[in-house]
Amino acid sequence: MSETTGCTADWHLEHSSPGQILHYLDPRRPFARQINILTNRFRDIQALCNDGAASPALTRLRNALAFHMVRMSRWWRFDFCPRGVTGVRNPLFLTYVKAHAERSAEDDALFDLFTLQRHMHAGDGGHILVVGHDPLTAPSVSILYGVDGQRNFRFATSSRGGEPLWNGKAYPDFASAWLAARAVHALIQDDSADIHEYETAHREHMWVRSWHHRHFHRSGKLPVIRLYAQANAQLMNCQSAFGRAEMKTVVERMAFDIARTAFQRHMTVADLIEESDALSISLRSANTIKQRARAYVATCIDPMARPEMDTLLDRVVSYVPRRCP
Protein backbone atom coordinates (compact mmCIF):
# COMPACT_ATOMS: atom_id res chain seq x y z
CA MET A 1 0.00 0.00 0.00
CA SER A 2 1.28 3.47 -0.92
CA GLU A 3 2.15 6.24 1.52
CA THR A 4 0.50 9.15 -0.35
CA THR A 5 -3.00 10.07 -1.48
CA GLY A 6 -1.90 11.47 -4.84
CA CYS A 7 -3.52 14.87 -4.18
CA THR A 8 -1.92 18.02 -5.57
CA ALA A 9 -0.43 20.88 -3.60
CA ASP A 10 -3.32 23.14 -4.63
CA TRP A 11 -5.84 20.57 -3.41
CA HIS A 12 -4.17 20.40 -0.01
CA LEU A 13 -4.04 24.19 0.29
CA GLU A 14 -7.81 24.22 -0.21
CA HIS A 15 -8.80 21.16 1.84
CA SER A 16 -6.14 20.32 4.44
CA SER A 17 -6.00 23.27 6.82
CA PRO A 18 -6.15 22.31 10.51
CA GLY A 19 -9.40 24.23 10.96
CA GLN A 20 -11.11 21.90 8.47
CA ILE A 21 -9.83 18.76 10.18
CA LEU A 22 -9.75 19.40 13.92
CA HIS A 23 -12.48 20.16 16.47
CA TYR A 24 -10.64 20.74 19.72
CA LEU A 25 -13.58 21.93 21.81
CA ASP A 26 -15.98 19.12 20.87
CA PRO A 27 -14.60 15.74 22.01
CA ARG A 28 -17.70 14.02 20.66
CA ARG A 29 -16.00 14.19 17.27
CA PRO A 30 -14.10 10.88 16.95
CA PHE A 31 -10.53 11.23 18.17
CA ALA A 32 -9.28 8.61 15.69
CA ARG A 33 -10.78 10.32 12.64
CA GLN A 34 -9.14 13.64 13.46
CA ILE A 35 -5.66 12.31 14.18
CA ASN A 36 -5.74 9.86 11.26
CA ILE A 37 -6.63 12.59 8.75
CA LEU A 38 -4.14 15.01 10.31
CA THR A 39 -1.22 12.60 10.07
CA ASN A 40 -2.17 11.39 6.60
CA ARG A 41 -2.34 14.94 5.23
CA PHE A 42 1.00 15.80 6.84
CA ARG A 43 2.71 12.78 5.27
CA ASP A 44 1.25 13.59 1.88
CA ILE A 45 2.30 17.24 2.02
CA GLN A 46 5.76 16.31 3.29
CA ALA A 47 6.14 13.99 0.29
CA LEU A 48 5.12 16.82 -2.04
CA CYS A 49 7.66 19.13 -0.39
CA ASN A 50 10.37 16.50 -0.76
CA ASP A 51 9.47 16.18 -4.44
CA GLY A 52 10.07 19.87 -5.06
CA ALA A 53 6.57 21.30 -4.60
CA ALA A 54 7.47 23.23 -1.45
CA SER A 55 5.93 26.63 -2.16
CA PRO A 56 5.85 29.07 0.78
CA ALA A 57 2.12 28.43 1.26
CA LEU A 58 2.54 24.64 1.24
CA THR A 59 5.50 24.87 3.62
CA ARG A 60 3.41 26.94 6.04
CA LEU A 61 0.61 24.38 5.84
CA ARG A 62 3.03 21.53 6.52
CA ASN A 63 4.41 23.40 9.54
CA ALA A 64 0.91 24.09 10.85
CA LEU A 65 -0.04 20.42 10.60
CA ALA A 66 3.17 19.48 12.45
CA PHE A 67 2.29 21.89 15.25
CA HIS A 68 -1.22 20.50 15.54
CA MET A 69 0.06 16.93 15.78
CA VAL A 70 1.99 18.03 18.86
CA ARG A 71 -1.03 19.90 20.19
CA MET A 72 -3.32 16.93 19.60
CA SER A 73 -0.90 14.65 21.42
CA ARG A 74 -1.31 16.84 24.51
CA TRP A 75 -5.03 17.45 24.02
CA TRP A 76 -5.83 13.73 23.98
CA ARG A 77 -2.69 12.50 25.83
CA PHE A 78 -1.39 9.95 23.36
CA ASP A 79 2.19 8.82 22.79
CA PHE A 80 3.66 10.62 19.81
CA CYS A 81 7.04 10.05 18.21
CA PRO A 82 7.37 12.19 15.05
CA ARG A 83 9.75 9.78 13.33
CA GLY A 84 7.60 6.75 14.14
CA VAL A 85 4.37 8.40 13.01
CA THR A 86 5.50 10.58 10.10
CA GLY A 87 8.94 9.28 9.11
CA VAL A 88 10.45 12.72 9.76
CA ARG A 89 13.37 12.84 12.17
CA ASN A 90 12.42 14.38 15.50
CA PRO A 91 14.82 17.40 15.35
CA LEU A 92 13.64 18.31 11.84
CA PHE A 93 9.99 17.89 12.82
CA LEU A 94 10.56 20.22 15.75
CA THR A 95 11.88 22.92 13.41
CA TYR A 96 8.54 22.74 11.54
CA VAL A 97 6.64 23.13 14.81
CA LYS A 98 8.73 26.10 15.95
CA ALA A 99 8.46 27.77 12.55
CA HIS A 100 4.67 27.65 12.82
CA ALA A 101 4.63 28.84 16.44
CA GLU A 102 6.70 31.88 15.47
CA ARG A 103 3.91 32.95 13.10
CA SER A 104 1.08 32.65 15.67
CA ALA A 105 1.12 34.31 19.10
CA GLU A 106 -1.69 32.04 20.34
CA ASP A 107 0.00 28.84 19.21
CA ASP A 108 3.37 30.05 20.46
CA ALA A 109 1.88 30.60 23.93
CA LEU A 110 0.43 27.08 23.97
CA PHE A 111 3.64 25.52 22.66
CA ASP A 112 5.63 27.38 25.32
CA LEU A 113 3.22 26.17 28.01
CA PHE A 114 3.75 22.55 26.99
CA THR A 115 7.55 22.97 26.76
CA LEU A 116 9.81 25.61 28.36
CA GLN A 117 7.13 27.72 30.10
CA ARG A 118 9.02 30.97 29.63
CA HIS A 119 5.75 32.94 29.70
CA MET A 120 4.03 31.01 32.50
CA HIS A 121 4.60 30.66 36.21
CA ALA A 122 6.35 27.36 35.57
CA GLY A 123 4.74 24.47 37.37
CA ASP A 124 2.05 26.69 38.91
CA GLY A 125 -1.33 24.94 38.92
CA GLY A 126 -3.00 28.28 39.58
CA HIS A 127 -1.61 30.04 36.51
CA ILE A 128 -3.98 29.15 33.68
CA LEU A 129 -3.89 29.85 29.96
CA VAL A 130 -7.43 30.08 28.57
CA VAL A 131 -7.81 27.90 25.45
CA GLY A 132 -11.51 28.30 24.66
CA HIS A 133 -15.09 28.47 25.84
CA ASP A 134 -17.94 26.00 25.57
CA PRO A 135 -20.31 27.23 22.84
CA LEU A 136 -23.07 24.73 23.64
CA THR A 137 -24.01 25.71 27.20
CA ALA A 138 -27.03 27.74 28.34
CA PRO A 139 -26.66 31.51 27.94
CA SER A 140 -27.09 32.04 31.70
CA VAL A 141 -23.93 30.03 32.45
CA SER A 142 -20.65 30.06 30.52
CA ILE A 143 -17.77 27.60 30.71
CA LEU A 144 -14.13 28.41 30.01
CA TYR A 145 -11.36 25.89 29.44
CA GLY A 146 -7.69 26.33 30.15
CA VAL A 147 -4.34 24.64 30.69
CA ASP A 148 -2.45 25.32 33.91
CA GLY A 149 1.25 25.57 34.65
CA GLN A 150 1.33 21.85 35.47
CA ARG A 151 0.08 21.14 31.92
CA ASN A 152 -3.29 19.87 33.10
CA PHE A 153 -6.68 20.90 31.75
CA ARG A 154 -9.04 23.00 33.85
CA PHE A 155 -12.49 24.52 33.51
CA ALA A 156 -14.26 27.52 34.99
CA THR A 157 -17.94 28.46 35.23
CA SER A 158 -19.46 31.90 35.46
CA SER A 159 -22.94 33.39 35.50
CA ARG A 160 -23.90 36.13 33.09
CA GLY A 161 -21.43 39.00 33.51
CA GLY A 162 -19.68 37.39 36.48
CA GLU A 163 -16.05 36.53 37.01
CA PRO A 164 -15.12 32.93 36.06
CA LEU A 165 -14.60 30.56 38.98
CA TRP A 166 -11.97 27.93 38.19
CA ASN A 167 -12.77 24.44 39.43
CA GLY A 168 -10.12 23.11 41.78
CA LYS A 169 -9.67 19.78 39.96
CA ALA A 170 -7.17 19.24 37.15
CA TYR A 171 -7.57 16.75 34.31
CA PRO A 172 -4.98 14.99 32.12
CA ASP A 173 -6.79 15.53 28.81
CA PHE A 174 -9.37 17.91 27.42
CA ALA A 175 -12.18 15.37 27.13
CA SER A 176 -11.98 14.65 30.87
CA ALA A 177 -12.27 18.36 31.68
CA TRP A 178 -15.12 18.76 29.16
CA LEU A 179 -17.13 15.91 30.69
CA ALA A 180 -16.57 17.19 34.23
CA ALA A 181 -17.60 20.70 33.16
CA ARG A 182 -20.76 19.37 31.52
CA ALA A 183 -21.63 17.49 34.73
CA VAL A 184 -21.20 20.69 36.78
CA HIS A 185 -23.29 22.60 34.25
CA ALA A 186 -26.05 19.99 34.57
CA LEU A 187 -25.87 20.36 38.36
CA ILE A 188 -26.30 24.12 38.06
CA GLN A 189 -29.27 23.55 35.74
CA ASP A 190 -30.66 20.92 38.17
CA ASP A 191 -30.82 18.32 35.39
CA SER A 192 -30.43 14.99 37.17
CA ALA A 193 -30.49 12.94 33.96
CA ASP A 194 -27.59 14.89 32.46
CA ILE A 195 -25.67 14.79 35.75
CA HIS A 196 -25.82 10.99 35.72
CA GLU A 197 -25.03 10.82 31.99
CA TYR A 198 -21.90 12.99 32.18
CA GLU A 199 -20.63 11.49 35.43
CA THR A 200 -21.00 8.01 33.91
CA ALA A 201 -19.32 9.19 30.71
CA HIS A 202 -16.42 10.59 32.72
CA ARG A 203 -15.81 7.23 34.40
CA GLU A 204 -16.02 5.42 31.07
CA HIS A 205 -13.68 7.89 29.40
CA MET A 206 -11.06 6.85 31.97
CA TRP A 207 -11.22 3.35 30.46
CA VAL A 208 -10.83 4.73 26.94
CA ARG A 209 -7.89 7.00 27.78
CA SER A 210 -5.46 4.08 27.83
CA TRP A 211 -6.56 3.15 24.27
CA HIS A 212 -6.04 6.72 23.08
CA HIS A 213 -2.63 6.71 24.76
CA ARG A 214 -1.56 3.70 22.65
CA HIS A 215 -3.16 4.87 19.39
CA PHE A 216 0.10 4.84 17.43
CA HIS A 217 1.56 1.73 19.06
CA ARG A 218 2.01 -0.99 16.48
CA SER A 219 3.14 -3.73 18.85
CA GLY A 220 2.38 -4.77 22.37
CA LYS A 221 2.48 -7.62 24.81
CA LEU A 222 -0.95 -8.91 23.78
CA PRO A 223 -1.94 -10.15 20.30
CA VAL A 224 -4.37 -7.90 18.47
CA ILE A 225 -7.16 -10.48 18.85
CA ARG A 226 -6.88 -10.35 22.63
CA LEU A 227 -6.81 -6.54 22.55
CA TYR A 228 -9.99 -6.64 20.49
CA ALA A 229 -11.61 -8.96 23.02
CA GLN A 230 -10.66 -6.60 25.86
CA ALA A 231 -12.01 -3.55 24.03
CA ASN A 232 -15.24 -5.35 23.12
CA ALA A 233 -15.78 -6.37 26.76
CA GLN A 234 -15.36 -2.74 27.83
CA LEU A 235 -17.81 -1.62 25.15
CA MET A 236 -20.42 -4.01 26.53
CA ASN A 237 -20.03 -2.35 29.95
CA CYS A 238 -20.47 1.24 28.73
CA GLN A 239 -23.72 2.89 29.79
CA SER A 240 -23.36 6.49 28.58
CA ALA A 241 -23.80 7.63 24.99
CA PHE A 242 -20.39 9.32 25.04
CA GLY A 243 -18.64 6.27 26.49
CA ARG A 244 -20.29 3.88 24.05
CA ALA A 245 -19.38 6.06 21.08
CA GLU A 246 -15.74 6.38 22.20
CA MET A 247 -15.38 2.68 22.94
CA LYS A 248 -17.17 1.66 19.74
CA THR A 249 -14.53 3.54 17.75
CA VAL A 250 -11.78 1.75 19.68
CA VAL A 251 -13.36 -1.65 18.97
CA GLU A 252 -13.69 -0.81 15.28
CA ARG A 253 -10.07 0.27 15.18
CA MET A 254 -9.00 -3.04 16.75
CA ALA A 255 -11.12 -4.84 14.16
CA PHE A 256 -9.35 -2.91 11.40
CA ASP A 257 -5.95 -3.83 12.90
CA ILE A 258 -7.03 -7.49 12.86
CA ALA A 259 -8.07 -7.28 9.21
CA ARG A 260 -4.84 -5.51 8.27
CA THR A 261 -2.79 -8.13 10.12
CA ALA A 262 -4.67 -10.90 8.32
CA PHE A 263 -3.96 -9.19 4.99
CA GLN A 264 -0.25 -8.82 5.78
CA ARG A 265 0.04 -12.46 6.87
CA HIS A 266 -2.10 -13.86 4.02
CA MET A 267 -4.52 -15.42 6.52
CA THR A 268 -8.26 -15.38 7.12
CA VAL A 269 -9.54 -13.46 10.13
CA ALA A 270 -10.85 -16.76 11.50
CA ASP A 271 -7.37 -18.27 11.29
CA LEU A 272 -5.99 -15.37 13.31
CA ILE A 273 -8.66 -15.94 15.96
CA GLU A 274 -7.86 -19.63 16.11
CA GLU A 275 -4.12 -18.97 16.26
CA SER A 276 -4.52 -16.52 19.15
CA ASP A 277 -6.49 -19.05 21.22
CA ALA A 278 -8.83 -16.25 22.29
CA LEU A 279 -11.55 -18.52 23.61
CA SER A 280 -13.91 -15.59 24.29
CA ILE A 281 -14.27 -15.02 20.53
CA SER A 282 -16.03 -17.49 18.27
CA LEU A 283 -14.71 -18.15 14.80
CA ARG A 284 -17.96 -16.93 13.27
CA SER A 285 -17.41 -13.53 14.87
CA ALA A 286 -14.81 -13.05 12.13
CA ASN A 287 -17.61 -11.67 9.96
CA THR A 288 -18.48 -9.11 12.64
CA ILE A 289 -14.83 -8.11 12.90
CA LYS A 290 -14.67 -7.43 9.18
CA GLN A 291 -17.90 -5.40 9.32
CA ARG A 292 -16.46 -3.33 12.14
CA ALA A 293 -13.24 -2.85 10.20
CA ARG A 294 -15.28 -1.47 7.30
CA ALA A 295 -17.11 0.88 9.67
CA TYR A 296 -13.74 2.17 10.90
CA VAL A 297 -12.55 2.84 7.37
CA ALA A 298 -15.82 4.62 6.55
CA THR A 299 -15.78 6.88 9.61
CA CYS A 300 -12.19 7.29 10.79
CA ILE A 301 -9.84 6.93 7.81
CA ASP A 302 -8.91 9.93 5.67
CA PRO A 303 -11.41 9.95 2.76
CA MET A 304 -8.43 10.25 0.40
CA ALA A 305 -7.06 6.91 1.68
CA ARG A 306 -10.35 5.00 1.90
CA PRO A 307 -10.32 3.40 -1.58
CA GLU A 308 -6.97 1.80 -0.78
CA MET A 309 -8.17 0.56 2.60
CA ASP A 310 -11.41 -0.75 1.09
CA THR A 311 -9.34 -2.72 -1.42
CA LEU A 312 -7.31 -4.16 1.46
CA LEU A 313 -10.49 -5.28 3.22
CA ASP A 314 -11.88 -6.72 -0.01
CA ARG A 315 -8.87 -9.03 -0.15
CA VAL A 316 -9.25 -10.27 3.42
CA VAL A 317 -11.37 -13.38 3.87
CA SER A 318 -13.15 -13.24 7.20
CA TYR A 319 -14.37 -16.82 7.64
CA VAL A 320 -14.14 -20.08 5.72
CA PRO A 321 -16.58 -22.65 7.18
CA ARG A 322 -14.91 -25.88 8.24
CA ARG A 323 -16.37 -28.94 6.53
CA CYS A 324 -16.66 -32.30 8.18
CA PRO A 325 -14.64 -34.99 6.40
Side-chain angles (χ1 to χ4, degrees):
M1 296 295 169
S2 68
E3 296 296 327
T4 64
T5 62
C7 297
T8 65
D10 287 341
W11 187 93
H12 279 296
L13 290 171
E14 185 176 352
H15 296 95
S16 297
S17 67
Q20 295 171 291
I21 298 170
L22 305 174
H23 304 276
Y24 283 109
L25 296 178
D26 187 0
R28 291 169 299 189
R29 306 282 188 124
F31 154 78
R33 174 182 172 83
Q34 296 184 75
I35 194 61
N36 287 345
I37 295 177
L38 180 63
T39 54
N40 196 60
R41 300 294 170 87
F42 174 86
R43 293 189 198 108
D44 210 40
I45 291 170
Q46 177 67 2
L48 288 170
C49 290
N50 289 341
D51 288 342
S55 67
L58 193 67
T59 298
R60 288 194 295 270
L61 177 57
R62 178 202 62 193
N63 295 346
L65 295 177
F67 168 82
H68 283 280
M69 273 189 270
V70 173
R71 179 174 174 176
M72 280 287 283
S73 73
R74 302 305 308 230
W75 211 259
W76 288 91
R77 284 293 168 103
F78 58 81
D79 284 343
F80 174 63
C81 169
R83 185 168 187 174
V85 174
T86 69
V88 177
R89 291 181 296 105
N90 293 15
L92 178 59
F93 188 88
L94 189 57
T95 66
Y96 300 162
V97 175
K98 290 180 177 178
H100 170 79
E102 289 172 358
R103 297 179 57 86
S104 167
E106 180 181 343
D107 290 343
D108 180 62
L110 194 58
F111 180 67
D112 178 74
L113 169 57
F114 285 136
T115 54
L116 299 177
Q117 295 194 341
R118 295 166 299 181
H119 311 313
M120 293 285 292
H121 299 161
D124 184 354
H127 196 197
I128 302 170
L129 175 69
V130 175
V131 296
H133 73 281
D134 196 322
L136 303 175
T137 50
S140 60
V141 178
S142 62
I143 297 176
L144 290 177
Y145 297 102
V147 183
D148 66 23
Q150 296 177 350
R151 304 183 178 94
N152 290 314
F153 287 86
R154 305 282 294 277
F155 72 88
T157 56
S158 66
S159 57
R160 188 194 304 270
E163 288 294 319
L165 176 63
W166 290 97
N167 187 277
K169 292 185 179 179
Y171 301 90
D173 64 349
F174 177 79
S176 296
W178 185 87
L179 289 166
R182 285 303 180 94
V184 168
H185 181 261
L187 180 63
I188 294 171
Q189 299 296 313
D190 195 25
D191 188 333
S192 58
D194 271 1
I195 293 171
H196 176 73
E197 175 73 11
Y198 285 115
E199 288 180 343
T200 301
H202 191 273
R203 289 193 300 271
E204 292 168 355
H205 176 66
M206 293 176 66
W207 304 345
V208 184
R209 280 207 314 246
S210 64
W211 297 96
H212 292 338
H213 179 72
R214 302 192 303 263
H215 180 79
F216 286 114
H217 291 196
R218 285 292 174 253
S219 63
K221 295 180 180 179
L222 290 178
V224 66
I225 293 288
R226 290 191 177 274
L227 290 173
Y228 171 85
Q230 286 185 0
N232 195 50
Q234 287 184 329
L235 172 61
M236 295 301 103
N237 289 326
C238 286
Q239 301 298 315
S240 71
F242 184 91
R244 286 194 299 272
E246 268 202 308
M247 205 65 228
K248 178 175 178 286
T249 300
V250 171
V251 170
E252 288 172 351
R253 178 185 160 232
M254 292 294 104
F256 176 74
D257 284 349
I258 290 170
R260 180 167 53 188
T261 300
F263 173 82
Q264 292 168 346
R265 297 183 59 188
H266 308 287
M267 299 172 68
T268 68
V269 173
D271 286 339
L272 274 181
I273 294 173
E274 198 164 34
E275 178 185 80
S276 72
D277 194 29
L279 299 180
S280 60
I281 303 179
S282 70
L283 292 179
R284 290 189 180 276
S285 67
N287 293 321
T288 300
I289 289 172
K290 191 169 179 181
Q291 290 168 6
R292 285 173 163 172
R294 286 201 182 278
Y296 185 76
V297 169
T299 58
C300 292
I301 294 295
D302 187 345
M304 299 302 101
R306 283 177 198 164
E308 191 173 30
M309 295 300 101
D310 282 332
T311 298
L312 182 153
L313 293 177
D314 288 341
R315 295 176 182 174
V316 175
V317 178
S318 54
Y319 178 64
V320 178
R322 303 294 190 258
R323 296 176 179 240
C324 296

